[in-house]
Structure formats: C-alpha cells, structure tokens
C-alpha cells in the first residue's frame, strides 16, 4: 500500500461484526512495531558503545548499516542471481489450476517443516519468518491475479512467476525499506512454489559457491538463502540493499556471522575473489587493504576473540572489584522462557521485568490469571534469585492500542507510567492482585513503579499496594521507585524515606534531562547517558538514598556498557541490570579495578565538561 511509519490510514469495514473487526485491525496496526522499535534502540546503543577497529584514514570503505557484530578478513564471493527464464507452456485451465494447487500445498508443507527445523536450530523467532511465508501464499489477491493470467491463456509457471513479479515490483517501487524487504520475501517464497511447479528451473538459479571460506556479497538475501547458508564456508555477509531489521539481519545475528546491510550499489562492483575486511560492528567494508591493514585487522580480531572468550569463561563468577566489593548483576528480561539464557550469560537475578510487554502486540489485555501465572513462572525459573517486576509502563514510546488511551500531543510528557496507573485502577488493581497472589504462592519478587515524579505519587501507590496486600492476606515485598525523571533524582532524599530501593532508568532520565527524544535517530549520538549532567543526577540519587537504607540500582542501557557500568559503580550504584548478552563484558570490566579506583573514575567523569570527555576516560585507563 505504500504506507510509511506515521502515515494516517482510513480503514472501513462492512457487515455484522464490522466494529469488532475494525478494532482488532486498529490494534494490530498500532502494535506491530513495538518490539522492533525496542530492538532497534538496543542495537543502536550497542553500536555506539562497542569498540571498533581503527582503519588507516585513506583506506577506501563502503559504509552501510551494522546488521550483526564482529569482524572478518576474507575473499569475496559475489552471488549472482540470474533472472529466471520461465517458459510460457500453455495447458488446459483445469490442469493448470490443479498443478498450482498442488505446488502451493507442497510448498506450505515444506515451509512448515523448514520452520520446525529452524526453530530447533536457531529459535522460535527465526522460525516465524517461514510461518509468515506461508501467510504470503494465502494472499487471495495474489492467487486471483495468477488465476486471471492463466485464464488469459498463459501457462501455470509463467503465470505464477509473472504474478509474483508484479506484486513484488509494486512493493519495491514504493521506496519504503520495510515494503522492499517484503518484496524480497515474496520473491523468495514465489521461487519455492515455482520450483514445485517446474522443478527443472531450480538448477538454473545459482552459480557454484567457492569451496574455501568467503564473505558473501549480494544485492539482497532471501530468508531461505540465509537459512541455507553453508556456515562452514561463509564467514560474513554484506548486502547492497536491506536494513538492520530485515530478516537477513535477524538470521545473521543468530548465526553469529558479522554482517552489513544497505551497502549500496558500489558493493556489487567489488570483483569476485578480492580480499576485504568486513567490520559488522561498525557497518563498514574496507576495499583493497594492504598487508599492514590485514595484519592490523587480524590482530584486532584475535584480541577481540581472546577478550570475549575470557569474558565468557568468567561470566558465572561474581562482579567483584579487586578489593572485594560486589556489584549485583541482573538481567532485563520479560518472559519466563528467557530466564535460562539470562542465567547462562551470568545473570544473578532479574533487575527489570518490563510488564508492558505482556500488553504489546496483542488485541486484548492479559487477565489477572495470566499475569499471575507469568510472574509465578518467572520467579520459579529463577530458583530463588531476585526478581524486580516493574508495573505497567504504558505511554510515551510504548502504546497499547487495546487500552484506547486518548491521543496526546506530547506522549512522552503525558499520562504515562505511574501517572496512568494512578488514573486507571482497572489496570493497576489486577496487576497488583496478580503480583500478591504470586507472592502468596511462594514467588520471590519486588515491585517497582515507573516514571514516578513526586513523593505524593509514590505514597499513593504504596498505600494501594498495602490495601491489596492486606485484603488478600499476602506477604509483603520490597517496593521501589524508578528514577527516570529529573524531579525524582532531585527529590531522591525525600523519596528514599519511603522507598525500599531505587532503580535508575537512565534511558528516560537522559531523555528528560537533555530534552532529547530517545527515539530520534538524528539525536542518537548526542542523547548520551554519559553526559555529565545525567551523571550529576545519578550522583544526587545515590547521595539522597544514603541515609535511608535504600539501595540504588540502574537498569537503563548505560548499565550494560562496560565503561558506563564502571562509572555507575564508582558513583555508588550497587546493582546493574542489563540485556543478558551484555553481562560477561560488564562483569569482566568491574573486576579490573578497586572500588577506590572506580570512585576516582566517577569523580573525573563528574568533572568532565562533555560526554565525549567522559567517553575518552576509557581510553585513558
Ligand atoms: C529506562 O528508562 O532507562 C528504562 C529502563 O525503562 P524503559 O527503557 O523501559 O523506558
Ligand atoms: Mg523508562
């Protein structure tokens, strides 16, 4: 349809259940991109904080987008996709129709099997790509179009190929990267069906791959291409098209292959067999490196691998400074089935469970029972480790259309987080009941409120918790405040009198302190949580909590950046919670210094004039 993010659409429906259908459709349209946005934000943060190889200044480079981290040196193999020459062999309409029907059935069965195989090898999320392909085959517009072409007297293979090409061209011509990626998916699944209709065409699509390790370059890779890659040979991927949220990028990350996407036309001019350096972390390809470049890159890779192996080896050990101060390390995860991976990465508990994810990407609200089961399962899987459950934080970037909240001009400054909970007992009450039921049934958890701005708000929330707890005769639990608004940091001393703990949400604290939208890509480099002004708010928070037996943690993105983690610990934060993959490097970093050294580092950071100067303290170490 050519719809871009932010476009307005008018959707109409007819029939008895039109209202219901419209509401389901509306919800679906609004919630589709919630997880994608969260992933993209995380990837951007990681790219910003990851160290990358410093190339010689005059070394020619192609700059694309980082799709999967890591660096490799190797020879290029340029995959040429031949345009298929599909003969137009006419046949009777009924024969053609039954051949098409059979091919569609066989392809769906093949995709179902491929999805199961992919789930076992790579995971559920990756397997869904092929289930989505099955849906593409159920598109009645496509089938109608192909039938029309056949009815005009064309053969089934030709009609199918033409139908797919017409639909895919329409999508790619719209200039929208998301729809262009869907065109790749459509051609991919289209070829599968075509090869069932005419198996002889399947051997004419590819040139033979080299039998030595190579960096694969292509205009775009279909999910089928990527899932079928010979990972004993392919050491990296680069495509001229596609974006970091494309399926190729998702699969490359899962396969652990460094990858760049959106490298542009120049990428396809690189001669087959030439030597390249591919830096997936920075999203760059270096062309014609000399021997010195190659050995410097290889040294970097060896150093990086040794460092990662060392970090991985010690990830189960505590993050203790050289003088024995332990910083607790938690994971930011949202579902019970993510616990095992978090623990295997070295998590000692869950420092942030974002419960709004129970509300996103669905049409209805999770019931009290469903919430209770999720919290209990989460705690059970943690086997006695700590769990901090953050109550619903809807609003701002996280919209849940099923709640039909009024539209706001400035949602980040509107009724979000605790402000919403205090206005909507129908959301707060079932969530608290579910939490206290889980506590009653043996869960070990703490409750944390997001976006608290004043002590009055927190006192009301605490009182409501107590009412619910008492009415259920449930055990009590620690109740904490997220420090994400400058006002809360400035009032930390008062809040600490009433809270059992603080967790600093540095993502929002940075956004509100610097007045920079956390989602605006143009401001991404400046919206730095290591800005000295943000660090001063963190210091105020820690100082405010000191006299009140209120410990301070941090769960925003900077807690998962090794340098950021070192500064936060030096400022007096005693618990850090992050995405599981960040844990090994953070633990390793914290073990490098004594607490006094970390305090000195934090002091220098507070005195620095700019965020760049704070980041440079890393190089000076
Ligand atoms: C934060 O703001 O730092 C935080 C952890 O909460 P969220 O990213 O979910 O807003
Ligand atoms: Mg937040």
């Amino acid at each position: 349809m050519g719809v871009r993010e932010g476009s307005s659409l008018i959707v109409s429906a007819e029939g008895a259940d039109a209202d219901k259908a419209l509401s389901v459709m509306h919800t679906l349209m609004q919630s589709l991109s919630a997880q994608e946005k969260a992933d993209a934000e995380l990837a951007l943060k990681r790219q910003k904080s990851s160290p990358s190889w410093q190339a010689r200044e005059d070394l020619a480079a192609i700059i694309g987008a980082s799709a999967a981290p890591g660096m490799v040196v190797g020879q290029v193999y340029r995959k040429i996709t031949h345009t298929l020459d599909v003969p137009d062999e006419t046949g009777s309409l009924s024969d053609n129709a039954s051949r098409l029907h059979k091919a569609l059935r066989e392809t769906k069965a093949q995709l179902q099997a491929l999805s199961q195989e992919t789930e076992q090898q790579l995971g559920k999320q990756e397997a869904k790509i092929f289930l989505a392909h099955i849906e593409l085959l159920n598109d009645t517009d496509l089938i109608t179009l192909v039938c029309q072409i056949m009815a005009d007297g064309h053969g089934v293979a030709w009609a199918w190929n033409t139908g797919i090409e017409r639909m895919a061209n329409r999508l790619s011509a719209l200039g929208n990267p998301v729809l262009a990626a869907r065109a790749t998916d459509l051609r991919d699944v289209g070829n599968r069906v075509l090869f069932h209709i005419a198996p002889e065409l399947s051997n004419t699509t590819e040139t033979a791959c080299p039998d030595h390790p190579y960096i694969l370059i292509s205009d775009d890779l279909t999910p089928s291409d990527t899932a079928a890659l010979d990972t004993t040979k392919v050491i990296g991927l680069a495509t001229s098209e596609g974006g970091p949220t494309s399926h190729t990028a998702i699969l490359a990350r899962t396969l652990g292959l460094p990858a760049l996407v959106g490298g542009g036309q120049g990428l396809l001019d690189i001669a087959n067999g030439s030597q390249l350096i591919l830096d997936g972390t920075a999203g760059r390809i270096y062309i014609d490196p000399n021997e010195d470049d190659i050995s410097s890159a290889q040294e970097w890779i060896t150093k990086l691998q040794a460092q990662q192996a060392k970090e991985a080896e010690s990830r189960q050990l505590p993050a203790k400074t050289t003088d024995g101060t332990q910083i607790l390390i938690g994971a930011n995860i949202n579902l019970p089935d993510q616990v095992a991976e978090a623990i295997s990465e070295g998590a000692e508990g869950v420092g942030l469970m974002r419960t709004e994810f129970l509300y996103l990407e669905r049409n209805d609200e999770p019931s009290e029972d469903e919430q209770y089961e999720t919290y209990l399962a989460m705690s059970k899987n943690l086997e006695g480790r700590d769990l901090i459950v953050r109550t619903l934080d809807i609003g701002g970037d996280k919209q849940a259309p099923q709640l039909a909240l009024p539209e706001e001009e400035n949602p980040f400054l509107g009724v979000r987080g605790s402000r919403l909970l205090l206005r909507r007992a129908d959301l707060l009450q079932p969530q608290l009941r579910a939490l206290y039921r889980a506590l009653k049934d043996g869960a070990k958890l703490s409750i944390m409120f997001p976006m608290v701005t004043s002590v009055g708000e927190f006192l009301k929330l605490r009182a409501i918790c107590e009412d619910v707890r008492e009415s259920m005769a449930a055990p009590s639990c620690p109740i904490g405040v997220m420090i994400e608004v400058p006002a809360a940091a400035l009032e930390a001393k008062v809040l600490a009198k009433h809270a059992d703990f603080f967790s600093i949400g540095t993502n929002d604290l940075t956004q509100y302190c610097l007045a920079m939208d956390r989602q605006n890509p143009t401001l991404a480099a400046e919206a730095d949580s290591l800005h000295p002004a943000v660090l001063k708010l963190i210091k105020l928070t820690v100082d405010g909590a000191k006299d009140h037996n209120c410990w301070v943690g941090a769960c925003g993105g900077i807690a998962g950046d090794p340098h950021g983690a070192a500064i936060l610990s030096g400022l007096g934060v005693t618990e850090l919670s992050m995405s599981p993959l960040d844990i090994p490097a953070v633990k390793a970093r914290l073990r490098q210094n004594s607490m006094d050294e970390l305090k000195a580092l934090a002091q220098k950071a507070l005195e620095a004039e700019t965020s760049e100067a704070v980041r440079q303290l890393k190089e000076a170490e």
Side-chain angles (χ1 to χ4, degrees):
M1 296 170 78
V3 180
R4 289 164 185 276
E5 188 187 356
S7 303
S8 293
L9 290 182
I10 297 175
V11 184
S12 58
E14 291 172 30
D17 55 358
D19 282 349
K20 188 163 170 247
L22 281 178
S23 126
V24 171
M25 179 76 184
H26 185 242
T27 306
L28 185 71
M29 286 161 57
Q30 301 241 319
S31 61
L32 270 177
S33 59
Q35 186 64 50
E36 264 177 319
K37 275 190 190 155
D39 286 351
E41 197 179 339
L42 193 68
L44 200 71
K45 287 229 164 69
R46 205 168 275 153
Q47 188 173 353
K48 197 159 63 177
S49 60
S50 306
S52 57
W53 177 63
Q54 292 300 315
R56 173 166 56 88
E57 255 178 30
D58 52 351
L59 181 58
I62 287 184
I63 302 173
S66 160
M71 192 157 98
V72 279
V73 177
Q75 272 187 23
V76 174
Y77 166 61
R78 212 155 30 90
K79 183 170 183 284
I80 315 219
T81 327
H82 295 292
T83 323
L84 276 174
D85 190 11
V86 183
D88 189 1
E89 289 160 357
T90 48
S92 83
L93 194 55
S94 69
D95 261 8
N96 280 346
S98 62
R99 277 177 71 193
L100 177 60
H101 186 68
K102 182 166 169 276
L104 285 170
R105 203 182 50 228
E106 287 168 352
T107 309
K108 285 180 197 171
Q110 185 189 38
L111 286 167
Q112 194 72 45
L114 185 60
S115 153
Q116 276 161 7
E117 207 177 292
T118 309
E119 179 167 344
Q120 275 161 12
Q121 284 171 5
L122 300 176
K124 253 197 190 123
Q125 216 45 37
E126 288 69 21
K128 276 191 194 159
I129 295 172
F130 297 105
L131 294 181
H133 279 194
I134 297 182
E135 285 311 313
L136 290 177
L137 294 181
N138 290 334
D139 178 2
T140 46
D141 278 354
L142 171 67
I143 307 296
T144 313
L145 174 64
V146 175
C147 290
Q148 270 165 2
I149 303 173
M150 292 196 301
D152 287 344
H154 295 283
V156 56
W158 196 89
W160 175 259
N161 195 45
T162 307
I164 288 282
E165 275 310 307
R166 270 192 213 162
M167 304 267 295
N169 286 339
R170 237 181 264 162
L171 289 173
S172 359
L174 296 167
N176 175 330
V178 177
L179 295 179
R182 295 302 161 263
T184 308
D185 285 271
L186 192 59
R187 290 198 173 96
D188 184 21
V189 75
N191 276 351
R192 279 186 189 276
V193 177
L194 186 65
F195 300 153
H196 279 285
I197 299 173
E200 67 282 1
L201 292 173
S202 66
N203 348 329
T204 60
T205 50
E206 274 193 25
T207 45
C209 302
D211 58 3
H212 55 76
Y214 59 90
I215 296 172
L216 181 65
I217 290 188
S218 170
D219 48 357
D220 204 354
L221 289 171
T222 64
S224 305
D225 289 335
T226 319
L229 286 180
D230 178 356
T231 43
T232 60
K233 299 278 157 34
V234 181
I235 54 172
L237 297 174
T239 61
S240 60
E241 295 169 22
T245 56
S246 70
H247 290 151
T248 305
I250 297 169
L251 287 166
R253 282 196 285 273
T254 314
L255 291 166
L257 290 173
L260 161 155
V261 289
Q265 209 39 41
L267 200 62
L268 303 177
D269 297 333
I270 301 175
N272 240 346
S274 20
Q275 187 92 339
L276 286 185
I277 299 170
L278 164 62
D279 185 346
T281 314
R284 282 166 185 258
I285 273 203
Y286 298 96
I287 314 166
D288 291 331
N290 62 26
E291 273 178 26
D292 285 349
D293 297 323
I294 293 179
S295 58
S296 147
Q298 260 151 356
E299 253 172 53
W300 170 263
I301 295 169
T302 315
K303 202 175 116 198
L304 210 64
Q305 281 170 346
Q307 187 188 330
Q308 281 165 352
K310 204 166 139 218
E311 289 166 2
E313 240 170 61
S314 58
R315 67 191 194 269
Q316 295 302 338
L317 301 175
K320 268 193 190 157
T321 56
T322 51
D323 56 341
T325 312
Q326 184 171 350
I327 306 295
L328 291 173
I329 304 293
N332 294 353
I333 53 171
N334 311 317
L335 297 168
D337 65 9
Q338 295 168 336
V339 169
E341 193 213 335
I343 292 175
S344 98
E345 289 300 330
E348 294 152 0
V350 169
L352 173 65
M353 174 183 181
R354 292 176 161 105
T355 56
E356 57 279 5
F357 278 90
L358 297 173
Y359 281 73
L360 303 177
E361 301 186 13
R362 59 189 282 171
N363 304 324
D364 52 353
E365 291 174 33
S367 65
E368 181 187 316
D369 283 353
E370 184 183 337
Q371 292 195 56
Y372 153 78
E373 273 157 27
T374 310
Y375 305 140
L376 193 64
M378 191 89 174
S379 174
K380 271 207 176 123
N381 291 357
L382 278 163
E383 296 174 334
R385 296 172 182 87
D386 287 328
L387 164 63
I388 300 181
V389 182
R390 176 175 81 185
T391 56
L392 194 57
D393 183 16
I394 292 289
D397 56 328
K398 301 167 196 115
Q399 295 294 335
Q402 68 271 46
L403 301 182
L405 300 174
E407 263 193 34
E408 295 178 306
E409 193 120 327
N410 292 302
F412 274 119
L413 302 180
V415 183
R416 62 165 293 203
S418 292
R419 296 173 194 169
L420 178 69
L421 295 174
L422 282 168
R423 284 167 176 79
R424 291 284 299 263
D426 59 316
L427 297 175
L428 180 58
Q429 290 284 336
Q431 180 161 39
L432 291 181
R433 275 199 305 272
L435 286 163
Y436 281 108
R437 266 172 71 189
L439 276 159
K440 223 175 152 173
D441 288 345
K444 181 179 174 200
L445 58 84
S446 307
I447 298 175
M448 174 160 83
F449 288 104
M451 278 288 295
V452 171
T453 313
S454 68
V455 73
E457 268 175 350
F458 183 61
L459 288 176
K460 280 187 207 152
L461 290 162
R462 245 206 123 114
I464 299 172
C465 285
E466 190 49 22
D467 281 350
V468 173
R469 187 195 71 74
E470 243 180 35
S471 71
M472 297 172 61
S476 58
C477 71
I479 301 181
V481 171
M482 276 196 86
I483 305 290
E484 328 188 69
V485 182
L490 292 161
E491 289 296 317
K493 207 172 182 147
V494 190
L495 277 166
K497 276 200 227 165
H498 307 284
D500 297 314
F501 65 94
F502 287 159
S503 184
I504 306 174
T506 53
N507 306 334
D508 276 316
L509 190 62
T510 306
Q511 139 164 292
Y512 294 121
C513 170
L514 304 182
M516 286 182 188
D517 182 343
R518 61 192 266 185
Q519 298 193 110
N520 187 330
T522 331
L523 297 174
E526 289 154 83
D528 193 336
S529 298
L530 290 183
H531 191 293
V534 180
L535 298 180
K536 289 189 178 79
L537 288 175
I538 297 175
K539 170 89 166 63
L540 269 177
T541 307
V542 174
D543 287 349
K546 243 179 220 150
D547 299 333
H548 296 288
N549 201 19
C550 169
W551 60 265
V552 183
C555 58
I558 202 67
D561 169 329
H563 185 50
I567 294 176
L568 288 173
S569 307
L571 286 171
V573 171
T574 56
E575 181 249 22
L576 298 167
S577 195
M578 63 204 72
S579 97
L581 292 177
D582 291 336
I583 293 175
V586 165
K587 280 188 162 180
R589 171 65 192 87
L590 295 176
R591 286 190 205 108
Q592 282 169 15
N593 290 112
S594 67
M595 195 32 110
D596 278 348
E597 286 164 343
L598 291 179
K599 281 184 185 161
L601 170 70
Q603 188 53 39
K604 276 192 208 152
L606 284 172
E607 286 162 12
E609 293 186 2
T610 60
S611 359
E612 290 76 30
V614 177
R615 290 207 174 263
Q616 273 158 14
L617 291 171
K618 180 159 107 186
E619 272 102 64
E621 277 166 27

